Amino acid sequence: FRCGNKDNCSFEVVNNLMRYLEPVIYLPIFVIGLILNVAALLVFCFFLRKWTESTIYMTSLALMDLLLLFPLPFKMHANTYHWPAHLQPLCSVLESLYFVGIYGSIYTIMCIAVDRWVAICHPFKAKQLRSPKAALGTCMGVWVLVLAALFPIVYRFREAGQGDFRCFHHFSKKGWSPPVIICLQVFGFLVPALVVVYCSVRTIWALQQSGLHSPQSRACVKIIYSSLSAFLLPFTPSHLGILLQFLVHQGMIQDCGNITRISLFIQIAMCLSNITCCLDALCYYFIARELRSPKHTFRISMISQRRATFSTSAV
């Protein structure tokens, strides 16, 4: 995502700073994220007795997070060293996996929010729409969608025939073309963000309107807030940075000082966006604790919300 020596602006200070800052950010994220997501997969696959919609979505999300974590060591290496030209296909694969992990996580979190909204706010429709098979089919659809959409696009980010290069940096003009960035911003972030916020707000409102203050209701609210945080905190700054960098490439921002600050902002924002791999662990923790409860508190919570739906619709 580095702008390079564009319009006679010097990025030497920014590049030198990121050479030291990226490992400081990436190493804890990689180690903690790897431990938490592997542990989550072990819990979901071996310790929980029954596969539910929640465990299926969370398992898919953990796999997406691991897919996002896998390229990080290569990304740290490319931050300091140039790669020979013959490694360009490997670089394109790693970049594709990285973006599949990011946008696969975004769409999986969106599906979780929709599933929770249907279960709590539309309990009768939930009987027809929600099932482990439907959740599995949705997760497989997300994987197919992001793989089919991103792999062909990311492979166009690099022009053939170039010499030594820095992977994950200095994308070609095709990578910053208006159709690519508009689709990325609208369908990759804006639409999922609106869906997640809407479903989360409606679900929290239904829980609050129920007048029930049971541990189950409070646990549901914690899960919703953790999912919302795992979505908005990492991905909002990074997509704002992409938008600003796009304006730079379109010539709408030409001041050298602003261009340099945008270059620094987008690099830091993209680094911090990977913290989603750790924030998702909050969702794993609450889901696993609820599902392991001997009283099946998740089912009790759903029954409570059905009663809440009747009470709110009667007002």
Side-chain angles (χ1 to χ4, degrees):
F1 284 97
R2 291 181 184 174
C3 190
N5 292 324
K6 184 179 177 62
D7 298 331
N8 297 321
C9 292
S10 175
F11 295 88
E12 184 177 354
V13 174
V14 174
N15 293 339
N16 289 336
L17 176 61
M18 292 308 301
R19 240 176 230 110
Y20 295 100
L21 191 57
E22 276 195 9
V24 172
I25 298 174
Y26 279 150
L27 282 175
I29 291 176
F30 179 76
V31 174
I32 296 173
L34 186 64
I35 293 173
L36 292 178
N37 283 281
V38 170
L41 286 178
L42 291 176
V43 170
F44 291 140
C45 294
F46 298 105
F47 292 99
L48 294 181
R49 298 178 180 178
K50 185 179 180 181
W51 282 92
T52 66
E53 296 85 355
S54 298
T55 53
I56 291 172
Y57 283 122
M58 288 299 169
T59 300
S60 180
L61 184 58
L63 291 173
M64 288 290 186
D65 286 340
L66 289 175
L67 195 64
L68 175 59
L69 289 168
F70 174 73
L72 288 189
F74 301 95
K75 202 168 185 291
M76 286 187 282
H77 181 273
N79 183 50
T80 305
Y81 301 101
H82 285 80
W83 290 18
H86 69 271
L87 291 181
Q88 184 171 321
L90 173 62
C91 174
S92 295
V93 170
L94 293 172
E95 290 171 342
S96 299
L97 293 178
Y98 181 77
F99 285 108
V100 167
I102 289 178
Y103 291 100
S105 297
I106 287 176
Y107 269 83
T108 303
I109 294 174
M110 183 190 74
C111 292
I112 292 171
V114 172
D115 178 74
R116 187 185 300 115
W117 169 67
V118 171
I120 294 178
C121 298
H122 302 279
F124 292 113
K125 292 182 180 179
K127 291 182 178 180
Q128 301 174 346
L129 298 176
R130 295 180 76 246
S131 69
K133 288 184 178 180
L136 181 60
T138 301
C139 291
M140 293 177 63
V142 169
W143 280 89
V144 171
L145 174 66
V146 293
L147 286 170
L150 291 175
F151 257 88
I153 294 176
V154 176
Y155 262 87
R156 296 172 56 195
F157 283 3
R158 302 205 167 273
E159 297 177 355
Q162 65 181 23
D164 291 356
F165 67 100
R166 185 163 289 168
C167 193
F168 291 96
H169 301 293
H170 303 299
F171 291 151
S172 67
K173 291 183 179 179
K174 293 180 181 179
W176 291 102
S177 64
V180 171
I181 299 302
I182 290 174
C183 289
L184 193 71
Q185 294 282 49
V186 174
F187 299 107
F189 176 71
L190 185 59
V191 171
L194 292 175
V195 172
V196 170
V197 171
Y198 173 82
C199 292
S200 299
V201 169
R202 293 292 298 177
T203 305
I204 293 173
W205 183 84
L207 291 170
Q208 293 176 341
Q209 289 297 310
S210 68
L212 299 175
H213 301 285
S214 63
Q216 296 82 16
S217 296
R218 290 195 295 270
C220 281
V221 171
K222 288 181 180 179
I223 293 173
I224 296 170
Y225 277 124
S226 64
S227 298
L228 196 58
S229 299
F231 186 96
L232 294 178
L233 291 179
F235 299 127
T236 303
S238 61
H239 284 83
L240 175 60
I242 292 173
L243 176 61
L244 293 174
Q245 189 72 299
F246 170 70
L247 296 179
V248 171
H249 281 266
Q250 294 300 306
M252 298 181 184
I253 299 177
Q254 298 183 353
D255 179 73
C256 193
N258 289 334
I259 292 175
T260 304
R261 285 189 285 270
I262 289 172
S263 178
L264 178 62
F265 174 75
I266 189 175
Q267 292 182 69
I268 294 177
M270 291 301 298
C271 288
L272 293 177
S273 67
N274 298 285
I275 203 173
T276 184
C277 301
C278 302
L279 293 178
D280 288 340
L282 295 174
C283 307
Y284 304 151
Y285 169 74
F286 289 124
I287 290 287
R289 189 178 67 174
E290 289 300 303
L291 293 177
R292 286 177 64 85
S293 172
K295 296 181 180 181
H296 301 288
T297 55
F298 239 66
R299 290 186 180 181
I300 296 173
S301 178
M302 294 303 178
I303 294 173
S304 299
Q305 302 325 311
R306 291 175 183 178
R307 295 173 181 171
T309 303
F310 289 125
S311 64
T312 54
S313 62
V315 175

